Amino acid sequence: MPEIQTREATADDLDQILAVLRAALGETPLLKRTREQWSWKHEQNPFGSSIVLVATSGGRIAGVRALMRWRLSAPGLQEVSCVRPVDTATHPDFERQGIFRRLTMESLELAREQGVQLVFNTPNARSGAGYLSMGWKEVGPIGAMVRVRVGRVTGSTHGSAPQLAEIAPGSRSFSPIAHPDRPPRGLRTVRSRQYQDWRFCGHPTVRYGTIGPGPGTPVLRAGVRNNRPELVISDLLGEAVPADVRLAGRANRSRYMAGFFAHGSPERRTALMGGMIPVPGIKALQLVALPLTDIDIDVFDLGCWDIATSDLELL
């Protein structure tokens, strides 16, 4: 077999990159491996273009490693330059050749050279051990909050992506709000208008919406879990109030509405007052991090992260 070589990706690699992702990771009703989705995530991102490396062998792309740019603010700190490991895969024909580790270590070195300060992500069970062996450390488990609906619900999706209008009748398309983001309580994505427009309006396959007349707004999307629809509350923006959460819960036609907001955050209090409850013993995700430089905040303390569903859900 030809020797494995690594390099930065080019535009000409995209079709092969997408083929590798499909072969290794597959697709879901909400996550399609398309040129449009790749461009939205890795080229149109307001935080900057992603760092993307590929491994090649005999003219074929054997693996890909993408680090998506992100920026976090925190009390008393300038914004922290971050990356999130996403869209990482080795083609099944090239497994067990060390491609995952090699691409990861080389991409981290490139990130350091470009001034990136922090890496964070929520790996699955299969890749989690690999990240820990390369220096990542666990921050803590991300739980789930739910509001259960009693009564008749929408049935199985049969593998298709549900429409938000079906899951939450009365919802409308999301529009960025002008209300300034609140001060961060910990590491927090700034919900600027530019960020909202990209994150919630520009996604090529996921449609985000909202409900309620208030100055703040819940950000909603339809999801699929175990082939059944769910309503996800991705964020609470501006001066969202418990009545907005209750309205979304009453409009919901799936079995439950789910989301996550950081402990102690005003959004969590709003969700609790709106009828959402934490589910004991549920670990929806595991947050891990790797500082690339000294940062004046404990990134391994989950209490220092001011995050919500929208910061962590699969994009």
Side-chain angles (χ1 to χ4, degrees), residues 7 9-22 33-40 42-43 52 54 61 64 87:
R7 58 173 173 79
T10 70
D12 292 338
D13 296 324
L14 184 51
D15 286 339
Q16 282 199 66
I17 287 174
L18 295 175
V20 169
L21 293 174
R22 293 188 196 106
R33 311 286 179 182
T34 65
R35 282 178 164 268
E36 292 76 18
Q37 196 266 353
W38 179 274
S39 176
W40 171 81
H42 297 295
E43 298 167 359
V52 184
V54 293
I61 290 183
V64 58
D87 292 336

Side-chain angles (χ1 to χ4, degrees), residues 9-280:
T10 70
D12 292 338
D13 296 324
L14 184 51
D15 286 339
Q16 282 199 66
I17 287 174
L18 295 175
V20 169
L21 293 174
R22 293 188 196 106
L25 304 177
E27 295 183 318
T28 71
L30 294 176
L31 178 59
K32 301 296 186 182
R33 311 286 179 182
T34 65
R35 282 178 164 268
E36 292 76 18
Q37 196 266 353
W38 179 274
S39 176
W40 171 81
K41 183 189 295 188
H42 297 295
E43 298 167 359
Q44 300 171 29
N45 182 347
F47 301 123
S49 298
S50 297
I51 296 171
V52 184
L53 299 185
V54 293
T56 64
S57 177
R60 292 180 61 190
I61 290 183
V64 58
R65 162 97 275 181
L67 301 180
M68 181 173 65
R69 306 275 184 180
W70 212 260
R71 296 192 73 84
L72 300 171
S73 61
L77 294 179
Q78 294 182 335
E79 289 190 2
V80 179
S81 174
C82 308
V83 290
R84 297 171 57 179
V86 295
D87 292 336
T88 297
T90 299
H91 194 282
D93 293 344
F94 297 92
E95 291 179 338
R96 294 183 173 85
Q97 297 187 49
I99 291 174
F100 173 84
R101 175 179 286 270
R102 181 174 171 182
L103 286 177
T104 298
M105 301 308 291
E106 291 184 13
S107 64
L108 288 179
E109 185 58 36
L110 187 55
R112 287 190 182 93
E113 293 174 1
Q114 296 182 9
V116 174
Q117 299 166 278
L118 177 65
V119 187
F120 72 96
N121 57 312
T122 53
N124 57 34
R126 180 182 178 184
S127 62
Y131 282 109
L132 296 179
S133 72
M134 290 184 287
W136 272 255
K137 292 184 180 179
E138 293 182 345
V139 178
I142 303 298
M145 303 178 71
V146 302
R147 176 177 167 132
V148 178
R149 182 177 186 274
V150 177
R152 186 177 179 181
V153 299
T154 302
S156 172
T157 63
H158 301 292
S160 62
Q163 299 298 310
L164 182 60
E166 301 173 19
I167 305 302
S171 61
R172 63 183 186 278
S173 296
F174 174 82
S175 295
I177 65 169
H179 194 285
D181 191 32
R182 64 167 174 81
R185 300 180 65 260
L187 291 162
R188 175 174 174 80
T189 305
V190 178
R191 271 72 168 163
S192 66
R193 187 180 181 90
Q194 182 187 23
Y195 168 81
Q196 294 175 55
D197 189 60
W198 169 74
R199 178 69 183 82
F200 302 122
C201 298
H203 199 290
T205 56
V206 178
R207 295 294 176 261
Y208 289 89
T210 189
I211 199 166
T217 182
V219 184
L220 308 172
R221 68 168 176 84
V224 180
R225 190 175 299 275
N226 298 324
N227 206 37
R228 292 191 176 276
E230 64 179 1
L231 181 64
V232 177
I233 182 164
S234 291
D235 220 323
L236 288 167
L237 300 179
E239 297 177 351
V241 295
D244 295 329
V245 178
R246 289 193 290 269
L247 182 59
R250 289 195 297 269
N252 182 26
R253 293 297 178 267
S254 67
R255 178 60 69 191
Y256 59 88
M257 179 172 69
F260 171 82
F261 301 99
H263 289 271
S265 67
E267 292 80 17
R268 190 177 184 89
R269 291 194 294 271
T270 297
L272 288 168
M273 294 174 66
M276 298 186 75
I277 58 173
V279 183

